[in-house]
Amino acid sequence: MKKILILVLFVMSFGEFYAQNPNLGSAGAQFLQIPVGARAEAMGGAVIGLIDDASSIFWNPAGIVKVNNVQAHFSYMNWFDLFDFNSASIVYNAGDLGTFGASMVLFTTGEMEITTEEYPNGTGRFFDAGDLALGVSYARYLTDRFNVGVTIKYIRQQIWNESASGFAFDIGTQYRLDFQNLTIAMAMTNFGADLQFDGPDLDFTYRKDNAFPLSRLVPSRLSTEEYPLPLNFQVGIAVDIFEYDFVKMRGAIDVTHPNDNAERAQFGTEFSFFDRFFVRAGYKYNYDDQDFSFGAGANVPLGSTAVYFDYAYSVYDILPSVHRISVNLSF
């Protein structure tokens, strides 16, 4: 218990020592950092040690080993009343061969009219934008207490006729101890090469000397800068705080180190009643515009199938609050 108390105090003071980061705002593909799943967000994102369902792919791929047979996850939210965020994953436990998974994240916006300096009210033409991440995952137990997982994902960003794409890796571990199911976890996400936008709208013709209007026009092309992915390293602990009759309480603390922002900490708790109904709350420390999140969930057994419903409500200081809904199907 003394060691756990020291770790908690370290986590609480972590952000003070590393409050500044010279790379603030330097990474692209920020949709990869949007929390996926209502259960995880309701706990403030402090889940890499306790997550154990098909949504583990998005947080810590090591957690998918805890899926018993087949499970599918679906999640939706409207991001600040501007964008649609959809995610889905499916996990299959193949026993001694390990556990396999596939996932998708789709971040889109509707069409917007193109404006120019000559036509500030619109040109009559429209453009759209969207981001996509497709992943395949594999995880297995290395011992009865230690499990590891990895995800390989394809990332694509597009705005009008320009796009950027590449590949990235996620890797995670979970190690469970005897005391109160105490789990120590680690996850590194979005490790990959830089991306660069390219497309036909970057082409143009260039006249070297305007003093000679009959001089030849030279085909030219604009060059865009490369940008890094939002690499994130996260460590955390999760523990069963108490269990009494039909009530159970779990808690978790995670600390994150992103490559484009200050270090952060997340705190989350989950109450379960009869293992059927759940109430959750989370707190995010050292975030710019968000502190608290809340949520609830329930599961309904249907023969050999179970359906899990989860909801999360994220409170922001300036931006609109965000509602998330998720559904898990276990077969």
Side-chain angles (χ1 to χ4, degrees):
M1 290 299 295
K2 182 178 180 181
K3 293 180 179 179
I4 295 175
L5 179 60
I6 292 174
L7 180 58
V8 171
L9 292 175
F10 170 75
V11 169
M12 294 178 66
S13 61
F14 192 81
E16 295 295 335
F17 290 106
Y18 300 95
Q20 301 297 324
N21 188 307
N23 297 317
L24 291 177
S26 61
Q30 288 296 307
F31 79 102
L32 297 172
Q33 299 204 83
I34 298 176
V36 177
R39 181 194 180 198
E41 172 60 15
M43 297 185 65
V47 294
I48 67 168
L50 58 80
I51 199 155
D52 55 3
D53 56 22
S55 67
S56 300
I57 288 179
F58 307 107
W59 294 90
N60 183 354
I64 64 175
V65 300
K66 299 175 183 177
V67 172
N68 291 327
N69 189 19
V70 178
Q71 188 176 99
H73 168 86
F74 306 92
S75 182
Y76 169 79
M77 68 174 172
N78 185 257
W79 189 243
F80 301 138
D81 299 328
L82 294 172
F83 307 95
D84 288 324
F85 186 92
N86 293 275
S87 63
S89 63
I90 186 167
V91 172
Y92 169 63
N93 191 326
D96 293 338
L97 294 178
T99 305
F100 301 85
S103 60
M104 178 199 71
V105 172
L106 187 61
F107 186 58
T108 58
T109 183
E111 288 188 339
M112 293 175 282
E113 190 170 7
I114 299 171
T115 60
T116 65
E117 293 180 354
E118 292 82 7
Y119 301 95
N121 295 322
T123 62
R125 295 188 299 164
F126 293 83
F127 76 98
D128 60 1
D131 300 326
L132 172 70
L134 301 173
V136 292
S137 304
Y138 175 77
R140 65 175 302 157
Y141 279 104
L142 298 184
T143 71
D144 61 339
R145 298 177 180 274
F146 182 67
N147 46 302
V148 61
V150 62
T151 297
I152 303 174
K153 54 190 178 185
Y154 168 76
I155 301 165
R156 185 178 188 273
Q157 294 194 280
Q158 171 263 325
I159 178 167
W160 203 11
N161 298 315
E162 278 58 60
S163 64
S165 60
F167 291 89
F169 297 86
D170 299 344
I171 187 170
T173 62
Q174 291 178 334
Y175 180 69
R176 181 176 59 85
L177 304 177
D178 284 332
F179 175 75
Q180 295 289 100
N181 283 324
L182 177 65
T183 302
I184 302 172
M186 179 278 297
M188 182 180 66
T189 56
N190 307 320
F191 178 76
D194 294 350
L195 303 186
Q196 184 177 19
F197 273 97
D198 195 9
D201 294 321
L202 300 176
D203 295 328
F204 70 101
T205 55
Y206 172 71
R207 189 189 303 275
K208 184 176 181 180
D209 192 346
N210 289 326
F212 298 92
L214 297 180
S215 63
R216 185 177 180 181
L217 293 175
V218 180
S220 305
R221 187 174 183 81
L222 296 173
S223 178
T224 59
E225 290 186 1
E226 295 183 347
Y227 59 92
L229 294 173
L231 178 65
N232 188 68
F233 182 75
Q234 187 165 341
V235 295
I237 58 172
V239 64
D240 292 344
I241 298 176
F242 74 83
E243 183 173 2
Y244 181 76
D245 289 343
F246 57 87
V247 181
K248 181 191 295 184
M249 178 184 181
R250 302 201 70 189
I253 303 173
D254 287 7
V255 174
T256 65
H257 176 84
N259 67 339
D260 64 340
N261 214 318
E263 279 73 11
R264 300 164 170 175
Q266 293 94 248
F267 304 83
T269 185
E270 177 183 69
F271 290 88
S272 66
F273 304 90
F274 302 101
D275 288 329
R276 288 287 181 265
F277 305 97
F278 304 87
V279 177
R280 307 178 180 106
Y283 175 74
K284 297 185 177 183
Y285 174 74
N286 208 30
Y287 280 69
D288 295 331
D289 57 353
Q290 184 187 8
D291 294 321
F292 297 99
S293 57
F294 308 93
N299 62 68
V300 180
L302 300 173
S304 59
T305 303
V307 183
Y308 298 78
F309 300 95
D310 293 304
Y311 167 79
Y313 177 74
S314 303
V315 182
Y316 288 84
D317 296 334
I318 300 176
L319 298 169
S321 299
V322 175
H323 304 267
R324 287 176 175 81
I325 55 173
S326 296
V327 177
N328 281 14
L329 301 175
S330 292
F331 304 96

